[in-house]
Amino acid sequence: MSRERVKVGVIGCGNISGIYFKMMREVYGNILDVTACADLDESRARARAAENPGVRAVSVRELLEDPDIRIVVNLTVPKAHGEVALKAVSAGKCVYNEKPLTVDLSEARQLLAEADARGLLIGGAPDTFMGGGLQTCRKLLDDGAIGRPVAATAFMMCHGHESWHPDPEFYYEKGGGPVFDMGPYYLTALVAMLGPARRVCGSAGITFPTRTITSEKKRGKVIRVETPTHVTGAIEFVSGATATVVMSFDVWAHNHPCLEIYGTEGSMQLPDPNGFGGEVRIRKAGDAEWKSVPLTHTADINRGTGVADMALSLLRPGRPHRASGRLCFHVLEIMHALHESSEKGAHVRLRSSVDMPRPVPPGLPPGVLDD
Ligand SMILES: NC(=O)c1ccc[n+]([C@@H]2O[C@H](COP(=O)([O-])OP(=O)(O)OC[C@H]3O[C@@H](n4cnc5c(N)ncnc54)[C@H](O)[C@@H]3O)[C@@H](O)[C@H]2O)c1
C-alpha cells in the first residue's frame, strides 16, 4: 500500500454492491480506498458499512460534500443513474455508473459534457470485457487467429425475471426490457472486439402485454408491459463487420451460444459476456471440430475492475481508461437505435463513435491492469 490510493464513495447499497465492496477492497485495495457509502434506504448503507471496516455510512449529501472522495461509484437503479451521476459531477467527483449509463441519451450527453467541462472522468459498467474470457478472445482476434472478423451473433433470450426477482416491475418499464438490462454486456463485448458501430436496424415488439409475478412476496400481481420485450436487430460496424442480435424476455428455451464471431479464416465462440471467465472455443477453416483455448488472462476478478482502471487514470493523467463513459455512451446509442429503427422502419445511423478499449496485457495477476 505504498503509493497513493484513490478515495471512493459508493451510492446505492443494494444487491450488486456486495461484490463491488469485496473486489474494490480485496483485489484492488492497493489502488482504491473505499471510505463511505450511502443509500436512500439508510439501513442498507449501514449494513454495508458494518460488513466493511473503515467504511462510514453517510447520507448522499454528506458523501458528495466529502472533499477527499474522488470517485463516486453509482450502484443505484437505472432510472436514478443520470440524476445521481450529475449531482456527483456538480460536486466535483468522477463517477462510475452501473449499466446502463443513463436511461435517456440526452441525460448521458449532458453528463459527459459536464464532466468534460470540469476535467472529470466518467466510467461505467460493464467491465466484464476486461475479464480473462473476453480478453483471451480479444487477443486471439488481434493475433489473427480467425482472420478478419466479418460477422457476429449475439443471443440473449429468456422468459423475463418475474418468476424469481422479488421486485420485477422495473424490467417492464421504460429503461428496462432485455436490451437495456442485458444488452450492455453483449454490445460492449462486440464493440470491444469489433470496434465502433456505424448503423443499426431493429424490429422490436411486446409479445405479452401483461406479466403475472410468480415469485414470492408479490405473487399474482399483474405488471403492465411498457417496453419491447423481444428485439431483433442488425448492427453494422465501421470495420464492415455485421452482427445479428436477438434480445428477448419472451423465449422459453433456445440452443444458441451467447456470442460468436466469424472470421475469414475461422470461427470463435465467446463466453457469456455477463461474466469474467468462461470457455473460449475456436474452429479454424479445415478443423473437424471446435477446440477449447486456454485463457491467457486472469478470470479471478469481478465487478470493480473498471473502477480500479479508472482510478489508475486519475493517478497517471493521460492514461486512457477502458470502461469509459464514451464506450458506455456508444453502447447506449446502439440500444436506443435498435428501438428507434423499429419505430421508424429505417436504419439509424449512429452519431457517436469510440476507440476500441486498449487490451489488457496477458499474464497479469488479479489486481494488476497494466504491464
Ligand atoms: N443485481 C444484479 O445482479 C446486477 C448485476 C449487474 C448489474 N446490476 C445493476 O446494478 C444496479 C443496481 O442493481 P441492484 O440489483 O443492486 O438494485 P437494488 O434495487 O438491489 O439496489 C439499488 C439501491 O439503490 C438505492 N437507490 C435508488 N435510488 C437512489 C438514489 N437516488 N440515491 C441513493 N440510493 C438510491 C436503493 O435504495 C437500493 O438500495 C442497476 O443498474 C443494475 O442494472 C445489477
Side-chain angles (χ1 to χ4, degrees), residues 235-293:
I235 301 170
E236 197 177 290
F237 291 84
V238 172
S239 70
T242 54
T244 304
V245 303
V246 183
M247 307 267 135
S248 183
F249 283 167
D250 297 348
V251 172
W252 287 112
H254 73 92
N255 264 327
H256 295 290
C258 295
L259 280 169
E260 288 188 334
I261 296 181
Y262 314 105
T264 49
E265 291 167 35
S267 296
M268 182 165 72
Q269 225 170 60
L270 291 73
D272 183 343
N274 186 9
F276 287 77
E279 189 185 12
V280 176
R281 302 204 308 160
I282 287 257
R283 186 163 165 177
K284 296 198 188 202
D287 282 354
E289 52 193 38
W290 291 90
K291 289 186 187 128
S292 194
V293 181

Short mmCIF file of all heavy atoms in Angstrom, two decimals, residues 235-293:
data_model
loop_
_atom_site.label_atom_id
_atom_site.label_comp_id
_atom_site.label_asym_id
_atom_site.label_seq_id
_atom_site.Cartn_x
_atom_site.Cartn_y
_atom_site.Cartn_z
N ILE A 235 -26.47 -4.94 -36.61
CA ILE A 235 -25.54 -3.83 -36.34
C ILE A 235 -24.42 -3.90 -37.37
O ILE A 235 -23.82 -4.96 -37.57
CB ILE A 235 -24.94 -3.95 -34.92
CG1 ILE A 235 -26.06 -3.96 -33.87
CG2 ILE A 235 -23.97 -2.81 -34.64
CD1 ILE A 235 -25.58 -4.32 -32.47
N GLU A 236 -24.19 -2.75 -38.01
CA GLU A 236 -23.09 -2.69 -38.98
C GLU A 236 -21.96 -1.91 -38.31
O GLU A 236 -22.18 -0.80 -37.81
CB GLU A 236 -23.61 -1.94 -40.20
CG GLU A 236 -22.79 -2.09 -41.44
CD GLU A 236 -23.49 -1.33 -42.57
OE1 GLU A 236 -24.56 -1.78 -43.03
OE2 GLU A 236 -22.96 -0.28 -42.96
N PHE A 237 -20.78 -2.49 -38.29
CA PHE A 237 -19.63 -1.84 -37.64
C PHE A 237 -18.84 -1.03 -38.67
O PHE A 237 -18.93 -1.30 -39.88
CB PHE A 237 -18.74 -2.91 -36.97
CG PHE A 237 -19.43 -3.52 -35.78
CD1 PHE A 237 -20.33 -4.58 -35.94
CD2 PHE A 237 -19.22 -3.02 -34.50
CE1 PHE A 237 -20.99 -5.13 -34.85
CE2 PHE A 237 -19.90 -3.56 -33.40
CZ PHE A 237 -20.78 -4.61 -33.58
N VAL A 238 -18.07 -0.06 -38.18
CA VAL A 238 -17.25 0.77 -39.06
C VAL A 238 -16.29 -0.12 -39.85
O VAL A 238 -15.98 0.14 -41.02
CB VAL A 238 -16.48 1.83 -38.22
CG1 VAL A 238 -15.49 2.59 -39.07
CG2 VAL A 238 -17.47 2.78 -37.55
N SER A 239 -15.83 -1.20 -39.24
CA SER A 239 -14.90 -2.13 -39.92
C SER A 239 -15.53 -2.84 -41.10
O SER A 239 -14.84 -3.45 -41.91
CB SER A 239 -14.44 -3.20 -38.91
OG SER A 239 -15.53 -4.07 -38.61
N GLY A 240 -16.87 -2.80 -41.20
CA GLY A 240 -17.58 -3.54 -42.25
C GLY A 240 -18.21 -4.82 -41.73
O GLY A 240 -19.09 -5.39 -42.38
N ALA A 241 -17.78 -5.29 -40.56
CA ALA A 241 -18.40 -6.49 -39.98
C ALA A 241 -19.84 -6.18 -39.58
O ALA A 241 -20.19 -5.02 -39.33
CB ALA A 241 -17.60 -6.94 -38.75
N THR A 242 -20.67 -7.23 -39.55
CA THR A 242 -22.06 -7.04 -39.13
C THR A 242 -22.38 -8.03 -38.01
O THR A 242 -21.82 -9.13 -37.97
CB THR A 242 -23.05 -7.30 -40.28
OG1 THR A 242 -22.77 -8.59 -40.82
CG2 THR A 242 -22.93 -6.24 -41.37
N ALA A 243 -23.30 -7.64 -37.14
CA ALA A 243 -23.73 -8.55 -36.06
C ALA A 243 -25.24 -8.69 -36.09
O ALA A 243 -25.97 -7.71 -36.29
CB ALA A 243 -23.28 -8.02 -34.70
N THR A 244 -25.70 -9.91 -35.89
CA THR A 244 -27.12 -10.20 -35.72
C THR A 244 -27.38 -10.34 -34.24
O THR A 244 -26.67 -11.10 -33.56
CB THR A 244 -27.45 -11.56 -36.38
OG1 THR A 244 -27.04 -11.49 -37.74
CG2 THR A 244 -28.92 -11.90 -36.29
N VAL A 245 -28.35 -9.60 -33.70
CA VAL A 245 -28.59 -9.69 -32.26
C VAL A 245 -30.07 -10.01 -31.99
O VAL A 245 -30.95 -9.51 -32.70
CB VAL A 245 -28.21 -8.40 -31.50
CG1 VAL A 245 -26.76 -8.04 -31.72
CG2 VAL A 245 -29.08 -7.23 -31.86
N VAL A 246 -30.30 -10.86 -31.02
CA VAL A 246 -31.67 -11.11 -30.54
C VAL A 246 -31.63 -11.01 -29.02
O VAL A 246 -30.85 -11.70 -28.36
CB VAL A 246 -32.21 -12.50 -30.96
CG1 VAL A 246 -33.65 -12.65 -30.49
CG2 VAL A 246 -32.11 -12.72 -32.45
N MET A 247 -32.45 -10.10 -28.48
CA MET A 247 -32.52 -9.91 -27.03
C MET A 247 -33.99 -10.07 -26.64
O MET A 247 -34.84 -9.33 -27.16
CB MET A 247 -32.08 -8.49 -26.64
CG MET A 247 -30.73 -8.06 -27.17
SD MET A 247 -29.40 -8.40 -26.00
CE MET A 247 -28.18 -9.11 -27.09
N SER A 248 -34.28 -11.02 -25.77
CA SER A 248 -35.69 -11.32 -25.54
C SER A 248 -35.99 -11.74 -24.11
O SER A 248 -35.21 -12.45 -23.47
CB SER A 248 -36.12 -12.44 -26.48
OG SER A 248 -37.50 -12.69 -26.33
N PHE A 249 -37.17 -11.30 -23.64
CA PHE A 249 -37.75 -11.82 -22.39
C PHE A 249 -38.97 -12.69 -22.73
O PHE A 249 -39.80 -12.96 -21.87
CB PHE A 249 -38.21 -10.67 -21.49
CG PHE A 249 -37.11 -9.95 -20.74
CD1 PHE A 249 -37.38 -8.73 -20.12
CD2 PHE A 249 -35.84 -10.48 -20.62
CE1 PHE A 249 -36.39 -8.05 -19.41
CE2 PHE A 249 -34.83 -9.81 -19.92
CZ PHE A 249 -35.13 -8.59 -19.31
N ASP A 250 -39.10 -13.08 -24.01
CA ASP A 250 -40.31 -13.78 -24.46
C ASP A 250 -40.07 -15.22 -24.88
O ASP A 250 -40.96 -15.87 -25.43
CB ASP A 250 -40.92 -13.03 -25.67
CG ASP A 250 -41.36 -11.61 -25.31
OD1 ASP A 250 -41.42 -11.29 -24.11
OD2 ASP A 250 -41.65 -10.83 -26.24
N VAL A 251 -38.85 -15.74 -24.64
CA VAL A 251 -38.47 -17.05 -25.16
C VAL A 251 -38.27 -18.03 -24.00
O VAL A 251 -37.53 -17.74 -23.06
CB VAL A 251 -37.18 -16.93 -26.02
CG1 VAL A 251 -36.64 -18.30 -26.41
CG2 VAL A 251 -37.45 -16.08 -27.26
N TRP A 252 -38.93 -19.19 -24.10
CA TRP A 252 -38.83 -20.18 -23.02
C TRP A 252 -37.51 -20.95 -23.05
O TRP A 252 -36.96 -21.30 -22.01
CB TRP A 252 -40.00 -21.16 -23.08
CG TRP A 252 -41.30 -20.54 -22.64
CD1 TRP A 252 -42.38 -20.27 -23.43
CD2 TRP A 252 -41.64 -20.09 -21.33
NE1 TRP A 252 -43.38 -19.68 -22.68
CE2 TRP A 252 -42.96 -19.57 -21.38
CE3 TRP A 252 -40.99 -20.08 -20.09
CZ2 TRP A 252 -43.61 -19.04 -20.28
CZ3 TRP A 252 -41.64 -19.56 -18.98
CH2 TRP A 252 -42.93 -19.05 -19.07
N ALA A 253 -37.03 -21.28 -24.26
CA ALA A 253 -35.79 -22.07 -24.35
C ALA A 253 -35.17 -21.86 -25.72
O ALA A 253 -35.87 -21.56 -26.69
CB ALA A 253 -36.11 -23.55 -24.15
N HIS A 254 -33.84 -21.99 -25.80
CA HIS A 254 -33.16 -21.92 -27.10
C HIS A 254 -31.82 -22.61 -26.99
O HIS A 254 -31.39 -22.99 -25.89
CB HIS A 254 -33.00 -20.46 -27.55
CG HIS A 254 -31.96 -19.69 -26.78
ND1 HIS A 254 -30.65 -19.60 -27.18
CD2 HIS A 254 -32.03 -19.00 -25.62
CE1 HIS A 254 -29.98 -18.87 -26.31
NE2 HIS A 254 -30.79 -18.51 -25.35
N ASN A 255 -31.16 -22.77 -28.14
CA ASN A 255 -29.89 -23.50 -28.17
C ASN A 255 -28.74 -22.70 -28.75
O ASN A 255 -27.71 -23.25 -29.09
CB ASN A 255 -30.05 -24.77 -29.03
CG ASN A 255 -30.35 -25.98 -28.16
OD1 ASN A 255 -29.87 -26.05 -27.03
ND2 ASN A 255 -31.16 -26.89 -28.67
N HIS A 256 -28.92 -21.39 -28.87
CA HIS A 256 -27.86 -20.58 -29.48
C HIS A 256 -26.80 -20.22 -28.44
O HIS A 256 -27.12 -19.92 -27.29
CB HIS A 256 -28.44 -19.27 -30.04
CG HIS A 256 -29.39 -19.48 -31.16
ND1 HIS A 256 -28.98 -19.92 -32.39
CD2 HIS A 256 -30.73 -19.32 -31.25
CE1 HIS A 256 -30.03 -20.01 -33.19
NE2 HIS A 256 -31.10 -19.66 -32.52
N PRO A 257 -25.52 -20.19 -28.86
CA PRO A 257 -24.49 -19.70 -27.94
C PRO A 257 -24.66 -18.19 -27.73
O PRO A 257 -25.26 -17.51 -28.56
CB PRO A 257 -23.18 -20.00 -28.68
CG PRO A 257 -23.55 -20.25 -30.08
CD PRO A 257 -25.00 -20.57 -30.16
N CYS A 258 -24.12 -17.68 -26.62
CA CYS A 258 -24.26 -16.24 -26.31
C CYS A 258 -23.71 -15.38 -27.44
O CYS A 258 -24.38 -14.48 -27.95
CB CYS A 258 -23.49 -15.89 -25.05
SG CYS A 258 -24.09 -16.64 -23.56
N LEU A 259 -22.46 -15.63 -27.77
CA LEU A 259 -21.75 -14.76 -28.72
C LEU A 259 -20.84 -15.60 -29.60
O LEU A 259 -20.10 -16.46 -29.08
CB LEU A 259 -20.86 -13.77 -27.97
CG LEU A 259 -21.45 -12.52 -27.35
CD1 LEU A 259 -20.40 -11.86 -26.45
CD2 LEU A 259 -21.91 -11.53 -28.41
N GLU A 260 -20.87 -15.35 -30.91
CA GLU A 260 -19.90 -15.97 -31.81
C GLU A 260 -19.38 -14.89 -32.76
O GLU A 260 -20.12 -13.96 -33.11
CB GLU A 260 -20.52 -17.10 -32.62
CG GLU A 260 -20.81 -18.34 -31.78
CD GLU A 260 -21.24 -19.57 -32.59
OE1 GLU A 260 -21.79 -19.41 -33.70
OE2 GLU A 260 -21.04 -20.68 -32.10
N ILE A 261 -18.12 -15.03 -33.17
CA ILE A 261 -17.56 -14.13 -34.19
C ILE A 261 -17.02 -15.01 -35.32
O ILE A 261 -16.35 -16.03 -35.07
CB ILE A 261 -16.44 -13.23 -33.61
CG1 ILE A 261 -17.05 -12.31 -32.54
CG2 ILE A 261 -15.79 -12.41 -34.72
CD1 ILE A 261 -16.07 -11.35 -31.89
N TYR A 262 -17.37 -14.64 -36.54
CA TYR A 262 -16.98 -15.42 -37.71
C TYR A 262 -15.95 -14.63 -38.50
O TYR A 262 -16.20 -13.46 -38.88
CB TYR A 262 -18.21 -15.71 -38.57
CG TYR A 262 -19.37 -16.19 -37.71
CD1 TYR A 262 -20.45 -15.36 -37.43
CD2 TYR A 262 -19.33 -17.45 -37.12
CE1 TYR A 262 -21.47 -15.77 -36.59
CE2 TYR A 262 -20.36 -17.87 -36.28
CZ TYR A 262 -21.43 -17.03 -36.02
OH TYR A 262 -22.43 -17.43 -35.17
N GLY A 263 -14.78 -15.23 -38.74
CA GLY A 263 -13.71 -14.54 -39.45
C GLY A 263 -13.42 -15.18 -40.79
O GLY A 263 -13.95 -16.26 -41.10
N THR A 264 -12.54 -14.55 -41.57
CA THR A 264 -12.20 -15.08 -42.90
C THR A 264 -11.47 -16.41 -42.81
O THR A 264 -11.41 -17.16 -43.78
CB THR A 264 -11.31 -14.07 -43.66
OG1 THR A 264 -10.25 -13.67 -42.78
CG2 THR A 264 -12.10 -12.84 -44.11
N GLU A 265 -10.90 -16.73 -41.61
CA GLU A 265 -10.14 -17.98 -41.50
C GLU A 265 -10.61 -18.89 -40.38
O GLU A 265 -9.94 -19.86 -40.02
CB GLU A 265 -8.65 -17.66 -41.30
CG GLU A 265 -8.04 -17.04 -42.55
CD GLU A 265 -6.68 -16.42 -42.28
OE1 GLU A 265 -5.94 -16.96 -41.45
OE2 GLU A 265 -6.40 -15.38 -42.89
N GLY A 266 -11.78 -18.59 -39.82
CA GLY A 266 -12.28 -19.47 -38.76
C GLY A 266 -13.35 -18.79 -37.94
O GLY A 266 -13.72 -17.63 -38.19
N SER A 267 -13.87 -19.53 -36.96
CA SER A 267 -14.95 -19.01 -36.11
C SER A 267 -14.52 -19.10 -34.65
O SER A 267 -13.73 -19.96 -34.28
CB SER A 267 -16.22 -19.84 -36.31
OG SER A 267 -16.68 -19.71 -37.63
N MET A 268 -15.10 -18.21 -33.85
CA MET A 268 -14.76 -18.20 -32.43
C MET A 268 -16.04 -18.13 -31.60
O MET A 268 -16.94 -17.35 -31.92
CB MET A 268 -13.90 -16.97 -32.13
CG MET A 268 -13.46 -16.87 -30.69
SD MET A 268 -12.11 -15.70 -30.48
CE MET A 268 -12.97 -14.18 -30.72
N GLN A 269 -16.11 -18.98 -30.57
CA GLN A 269 -17.23 -18.93 -29.64
C GLN A 269 -16.75 -18.23 -28.37
O GLN A 269 -15.75 -18.64 -27.77
CB GLN A 269 -17.67 -20.34 -29.31
CG GLN A 269 -19.16 -20.52 -29.34
CD GLN A 269 -19.53 -21.99 -29.26
OE1 GLN A 269 -19.19 -22.65 -28.29
NE2 GLN A 269 -20.21 -22.49 -30.27
N LEU A 270 -17.45 -17.18 -27.98
CA LEU A 270 -17.05 -16.38 -26.82
C LEU A 270 -17.83 -16.83 -25.59
O LEU A 270 -18.95 -17.34 -25.71
CB LEU A 270 -17.33 -14.89 -27.09
CG LEU A 270 -16.46 -14.20 -28.14
CD1 LEU A 270 -16.83 -14.64 -29.56
CD2 LEU A 270 -16.60 -12.68 -28.05
N PRO A 271 -17.28 -16.62 -24.40
CA PRO A 271 -18.03 -16.99 -23.19
C PRO A 271 -19.16 -16.00 -22.91
O PRO A 271 -19.22 -14.94 -23.53
CB PRO A 271 -16.97 -16.94 -22.09
CG PRO A 271 -15.91 -16.04 -22.59
CD PRO A 271 -15.95 -16.07 -24.08
N ASP A 272 -20.01 -16.34 -21.97
CA ASP A 272 -21.10 -15.46 -21.55
C ASP A 272 -20.52 -14.10 -21.16
O ASP A 272 -19.69 -14.02 -20.23
CB ASP A 272 -21.81 -16.11 -20.34
CG ASP A 272 -23.02 -15.32 -19.86
OD1 ASP A 272 -23.14 -14.13 -20.23
OD2 ASP A 272 -23.83 -15.90 -19.11
N PRO A 273 -20.93 -13.01 -21.81
CA PRO A 273 -20.31 -11.72 -21.51
C PRO A 273 -20.76 -11.11 -20.18
O PRO A 273 -20.29 -10.06 -19.80
CB PRO A 273 -20.77 -10.84 -22.69
CG PRO A 273 -22.07 -11.43 -23.12
CD PRO A 273 -21.95 -12.91 -22.88
N ASN A 274 -21.67 -11.80 -19.48
CA ASN A 274 -22.07 -11.37 -18.14
C ASN A 274 -21.20 -12.04 -17.09
O ASN A 274 -21.64 -12.35 -15.99
CB ASN A 274 -23.56 -11.70 -17.92
CG ASN A 274 -24.09 -11.16 -16.61
OD1 ASN A 274 -23.43 -10.39 -15.93
ND2 ASN A 274 -25.30 -11.57 -16.24
N GLY A 275 -19.94 -12.33 -17.46
CA GLY A 275 -19.02 -12.95 -16.52
C GLY A 275 -17.59 -12.60 -16.91
O GLY A 275 -17.36 -12.01 -17.97
N PHE A 276 -16.65 -12.94 -16.04
CA PHE A 276 -15.25 -12.55 -16.28
C PHE A 276 -14.40 -13.70 -16.80
O PHE A 276 -13.25 -13.50 -17.16
CB PHE A 276 -14.66 -11.99 -14.98
CG PHE A 276 -15.18 -10.61 -14.66
CD1 PHE A 276 -16.45 -10.45 -14.11
CD2 PHE A 276 -14.43 -9.49 -14.94
CE1 PHE A 276 -16.94 -9.18 -13.82
CE2 PHE A 276 -14.92 -8.22 -14.66
CZ PHE A 276 -16.18 -8.06 -14.11
N GLY A 277 -14.96 -14.92 -16.80
CA GLY A 277 -14.18 -16.07 -17.26
C GLY A 277 -14.91 -16.78 -18.38
O GLY A 277 -15.39 -16.16 -19.32
N GLY A 278 -15.03 -18.11 -18.26
CA GLY A 278 -15.77 -18.89 -19.25
C GLY A 278 -14.87 -19.53 -20.28
O GLY A 278 -13.66 -19.30 -20.30
N GLU A 279 -15.50 -20.37 -21.11
CA GLU A 279 -14.73 -21.12 -22.10
C GLU A 279 -14.67 -20.37 -23.43
O GLU A 279 -15.68 -19.83 -23.89
CB GLU A 279 -15.37 -22.51 -22.31
CG GLU A 279 -14.50 -23.41 -23.18
CD GLU A 279 -15.14 -24.76 -23.52
OE1 GLU A 279 -16.36 -24.93 -23.30
OE2 GLU A 279 -14.41 -25.62 -24.04
N VAL A 280 -13.48 -20.37 -24.03
CA VAL A 280 -13.30 -19.79 -25.37
C VAL A 280 -13.02 -20.95 -26.32
O VAL A 280 -12.19 -21.81 -26.04
CB VAL A 280 -12.09 -18.83 -25.38
CG1 VAL A 280 -11.84 -18.29 -26.79
CG2 VAL A 280 -12.30 -17.69 -24.38
N ARG A 281 -13.76 -20.97 -27.45
CA ARG A 281 -13.55 -22.06 -28.40
C ARG A 281 -13.31 -21.49 -29.80
O ARG A 281 -13.88 -20.47 -30.18
CB ARG A 281 -14.77 -22.99 -28.43
CG ARG A 281 -15.06 -23.57 -27.04
CD ARG A 281 -15.81 -24.87 -27.08
NE ARG A 281 -17.01 -24.83 -27.88
CZ ARG A 281 -17.61 -25.91 -28.37
NH1 ARG A 281 -17.11 -27.11 -28.14
NH2 ARG A 281 -18.71 -25.81 -29.08
N ILE A 282 -12.47 -22.21 -30.54
CA ILE A 282 -12.10 -21.78 -31.89
C ILE A 282 -12.29 -22.96 -32.83
O ILE A 282 -12.03 -24.10 -32.47
CB ILE A 282 -10.60 -21.37 -31.92
CG1 ILE A 282 -10.38 -20.05 -31.20
CG2 ILE A 282 -10.05 -21.34 -33.31
CD1 ILE A 282 -10.19 -18.88 -32.11
N ARG A 283 -12.75 -22.69 -34.03
CA ARG A 283 -12.75 -23.72 -35.07
C ARG A 283 -12.26 -23.06 -36.35
O ARG A 283 -12.96 -22.25 -36.95
CB ARG A 283 -14.15 -24.30 -35.25
CG ARG A 283 -14.17 -25.46 -36.19
CD ARG A 283 -15.44 -26.26 -36.04
NE ARG A 283 -15.61 -27.14 -37.16
CZ ARG A 283 -16.59 -28.00 -37.29
NH1 ARG A 283 -17.53 -28.08 -36.35
NH2 ARG A 283 -16.69 -28.76 -38.35
N LYS A 284 -11.01 -23.43 -36.73
CA LYS A 284 -10.40 -22.80 -37.90
C LYS A 284 -10.85 -23.52 -39.16
O LYS A 284 -11.27 -24.69 -39.11
CB LYS A 284 -8.88 -22.87 -37.80
CG LYS A 284 -8.35 -22.07 -36.61
CD LYS A 284 -6.88 -21.78 -36.79
CE LYS A 284 -6.36 -21.17 -35.50
NZ LYS A 284 -5.16 -20.41 -35.64
N ALA A 285 -10.71 -22.82 -40.29
CA ALA A 285 -11.04 -23.44 -41.59
C ALA A 285 -10.32 -24.78 -41.68
O ALA A 285 -9.13 -24.86 -41.40
CB ALA A 285 -10.57 -22.52 -42.72
N GLY A 286 -11.04 -25.82 -42.00
CA GLY A 286 -10.42 -27.14 -42.14
C GLY A 286 -10.47 -27.98 -40.87
O GLY A 286 -10.31 -29.20 -40.92
N ASP A 287 -10.67 -27.37 -39.70
CA ASP A 287 -10.76 -28.14 -38.46
C ASP A 287 -12.03 -28.99 -38.49
O ASP A 287 -13.09 -28.53 -38.96
CB ASP A 287 -10.84 -27.23 -37.23
CG ASP A 287 -9.50 -26.64 -36.84
OD1 ASP A 287 -8.50 -27.04 -37.45
OD2 ASP A 287 -9.47 -25.79 -35.93
N ALA A 288 -11.94 -30.20 -37.91
CA ALA A 288 -13.11 -31.08 -37.88
C ALA A 288 -14.01 -30.76 -36.69
O ALA A 288 -15.17 -31.13 -36.66
CB ALA A 288 -12.66 -32.54 -37.81
N GLU A 289 -13.42 -30.14 -35.68
CA GLU A 289 -14.24 -29.81 -34.51
C GLU A 289 -13.74 -28.55 -33.80
O GLU A 289 -12.66 -28.06 -34.11
CB GLU A 289 -14.29 -30.99 -33.54
CG GLU A 289 -12.94 -31.52 -33.16
CD GLU A 289 -13.03 -32.87 -32.46
OE1 GLU A 289 -13.88 -33.70 -32.85
OE2 GLU A 289 -12.24 -33.06 -31.53
N TRP A 290 -14.55 -28.08 -32.84
CA TRP A 290 -14.19 -26.90 -32.05
C TRP A 290 -13.09 -27.29 -31.07
O TRP A 290 -13.09 -28.41 -30.56
CB TRP A 290 -15.39 -26.40 -31.26
CG TRP A 290 -16.46 -25.80 -32.10
CD1 TRP A 290 -17.51 -26.45 -32.67
CD2 TRP A 290 -16.58 -24.42 -32.47
NE1 TRP A 290 -18.29 -25.56 -33.37
CE2 TRP A 290 -17.75 -24.30 -33.26
CE3 TRP A 290 -15.83 -23.27 -32.21
CZ2 TRP A 290 -18.17 -23.08 -33.79
CZ3 TRP A 290 -16.25 -22.07 -32.74
CH2 TRP A 290 -17.40 -21.97 -33.52
N LYS A 291 -12.17 -26.35 -30.80
CA LYS A 291 -11.12 -26.59 -29.80
C LYS A 291 -11.21 -25.54 -28.72
O LYS A 291 -11.35 -24.35 -29.01
CB LYS A 291 -9.74 -26.50 -30.45
CG LYS A 291 -9.45 -27.67 -31.36
CD LYS A 291 -8.01 -27.62 -31.88
CE LYS A 291 -7.82 -28.71 -32.93
NZ LYS A 291 -7.26 -28.24 -34.18
N SER A 292 -11.08 -25.99 -27.48
CA SER A 292 -11.08 -25.07 -26.35
C SER A 292 -9.70 -24.40 -26.26
O SER A 292 -8.69 -25.07 -26.42
CB SER A 292 -11.37 -25.89 -25.09
OG SER A 292 -11.70 -25.04 -24.06
N VAL A 293 -9.69 -23.10 -26.02
CA VAL A 293 -8.42 -22.36 -25.94
C VAL A 293 -8.18 -21.95 -24.48
O VAL A 293 -9.05 -21.33 -23.87
CB VAL A 293 -8.48 -21.08 -26.81
CG1 VAL A 293 -7.15 -20.33 -26.77
CG2 VAL A 293 -8.85 -21.43 -28.25
#
